[in-house]
Amino acid sequence: MTALPQLPGPIGVFDSGYGGLTILQAIRQQLPCYDYIYLGDNARAPYGTRSFDVVYECTRQAVVKLFQLGCHLVILGCNTASAKALRTIQQNDLPLLDPQRRVLGIIIPTAEVVGSITHSRHVGILATEGTIRSRSYELEIAKRYPDIVVTGQACPMWVPLVEYNETNNAGTHFFVEKSIHQLLMKDMDIDTIILGCTHYPILMPVIKWHVPKRVQVVCQGDFVASSLCDYLSRHSDMEARCSRGASVRYLTTENPEKFSESAKLFLSQDIEVEHVVL
């Protein structure tokens, strides 16, 4: 691998597809002054049903690409990548790539705050099959709040519904209601549901329609953004390596025009997108 750039550079945000745009948007609202690069591996999405090894290798390739593009800090804006690849990259790859660079995930920031949200101490997770099988939320919440009972439910149809812009029709209501019902049947004491996939906030109006009023639905974006603010304030050396130009560059491994069109659902604006090979 060629030497990595050492000048200050943008903050990288990676996702297997479009969902990480909800994380990027929340981060930019709290930290608008920095430069950002968003990379979506849309050509190989979705990651939710893929094996640990495949998710790790795809994520590692994306992290390396973002490092090559000048990023010193990369946020895995994807729950599946955070669950299946983050720890291996942090422990095995960063020491070889560049010990001064950092890769952070989006599961821990949510796990850190959930204890202050739930009153019943029963929490539900709605996520992809890969995230649920990893038990990452259960493990991270247990480290911080051993009294909280965590119950997960995979929602295999939700990401396709979002990516095909089928976000509010009879079929959408059917699949959303089914998954919520399955979750609450496992534990009727749940009073807080974490949306453990960055696509799911797009379905929030339908989700809230089918969730009992006593249950809070929690999105990750604001927690991730607040956690990043705190991280940069505590790590002035890393903050100095993040360039400040308030710019965003969008990259995809798929067709740029297709990405730009679909991204409107998440960003409500037109964007310029570049194709990249990992």
Side-chain angles (χ1 to χ4, degrees), residues 11 13 21-34 36 219-226 228-229 246 248 250 266-269:
I11 296 172
V13 178
L21 292 169
T22 62
I23 300 297
L24 173 65
Q25 194 171 37
I27 291 174
R28 290 188 68 206
Q29 287 175 351
Q30 294 195 34
L31 295 165
C33 60
Y34 296 100
Y36 297 91
C219 297
Q220 299 170 284
D222 289 340
F223 303 131
V224 173
S226 296
L228 180 58
C229 288
V248 188
Y250 297 94
F266 295 84
L267 301 175
S268 301
Q269 67 181 68

Side-chain angles (χ1 to χ4, degrees), residues 23 26-27 30 105-114 116-117 192-195 216-230:
I23 300 297
I27 291 174
Q30 294 195 34
I106 59 174
I107 291 175
I108 289 177
T110 310
E112 288 175 338
V113 300
V114 73
S116 64
I117 299 173
T192 303
I193 293 176
I194 296 172
L195 299 185
Q216 301 180 78
V217 181
V218 174
C219 297
Q220 299 170 284
D222 289 340
F223 303 131
V224 173
S226 296
S227 179
L228 180 58
C229 288
D230 179 65

Side-chain angles (χ1 to χ4, degrees), residues 201-223:
I202 302 299
L203 296 170
M204 184 63 86
V206 180
I207 293 169
K208 285 190 172 181
W209 181 266
H210 294 289
V211 168
K213 295 191 185 309
R214 62 177 178 80
V215 178
Q216 301 180 78
V217 181
V218 174
C219 297
Q220 299 170 284
D222 289 340
F223 303 131

Side-chain angles (χ1 to χ4, degrees), residues 3-252:
L4 297 172
Q6 296 302 318
L7 293 174
I11 296 172
V13 178
F14 168 70
D15 185 33
S16 60
Y18 304 101
L21 292 169
T22 62
I23 300 297
L24 173 65
Q25 194 171 37
I27 291 174
R28 290 188 68 206
Q29 287 175 351
Q30 294 195 34
L31 295 165
C33 60
Y34 296 100
D35 295 312
Y36 297 91
I37 295 180
Y38 182 88
L39 171 55
D41 188 14
N42 304 78
R44 299 186 291 194
Y47 281 11
T49 57
R50 295 183 179 272
S51 69
F52 274 77
D53 290 342
V54 170
V55 172
Y56 158 68
E57 181 56 29
C58 292
T59 305
R60 186 192 67 80
Q61 291 172 4
V63 167
V64 169
K65 175 60 71 173
L66 287 167
F67 284 173
Q68 291 172 340
L69 292 171
C71 300
H72 294 266
L73 174 63
V74 172
I75 310 299
L76 301 185
C78 172
N79 284 274
T80 304
S82 295
K84 293 186 173 184
L86 177 61
R87 182 165 298 180
T88 303
I89 289 173
Q90 288 175 332
Q91 294 179 351
N92 297 350
D93 294 298
L94 285 184
L96 300 175
L97 293 169
D98 185 341
Q100 302 304 313
R101 297 185 191 241
R102 293 291 180 267
V103 180
L104 305 176
I106 59 174
I107 291 175
I108 289 177
T110 310
E112 288 175 338
V113 300
V114 73
S116 64
I117 299 173
T118 176
H119 298 290
S120 70
R121 315 310 278 176
H122 289 254
V123 172
I125 311 294
L126 295 171
T128 65
E129 182 180 347
T131 298
I132 295 299
R133 283 187 176 181
S134 75
R135 299 180 61 240
S136 293
Y137 276 98
E138 183 178 345
L139 295 171
E140 294 298 341
I141 291 172
K143 290 178 186 177
R144 296 157 177 83
Y145 308 102
D147 62 312
I148 292 181
V149 177
V150 179
T151 304
Q153 175 62 45
C155 310
M157 289 299 298
W158 288 23
V159 168
L161 286 170
V162 172
E163 298 221 338
Y164 284 99
N165 200 16
E166 299 290 341
T167 57
N168 193 9
N169 56 37
T172 306
H173 279 267
F174 172 81
F175 286 112
V176 169
E177 181 182 24
K178 179 180 179 181
S179 295
I180 292 171
H181 177 75
Q182 289 173 327
L183 175 66
L184 296 179
M185 285 298 98
K186 293 177 182 178
D187 184 354
M188 293 296 294
D189 292 324
I190 289 172
D191 75 343
T192 303
I193 293 176
I194 296 172
L195 299 185
C197 174
T198 52
H199 282 71
Y200 295 177
I202 302 299
L203 296 170
M204 184 63 86
V206 180
I207 293 169
K208 285 190 172 181
W209 181 266
H210 294 289
V211 168
K213 295 191 185 309
R214 62 177 178 80
V215 178
Q216 301 180 78
V217 181
V218 174
C219 297
Q220 299 170 284
D222 289 340
F223 303 131
V224 173
S226 296
S227 179
L228 180 58
C229 288
D230 179 65
Y231 178 86
L232 292 175
S233 69
R234 290 183 292 105
H235 296 83
S236 57
D237 56 335
M238 178 57 71
E239 197 278 336
R241 297 192 196 108
C242 298
S243 58
R244 292 168 170 258
S247 68
V248 188
R249 184 180 175 191
Y250 297 94
L251 309 176
T252 178

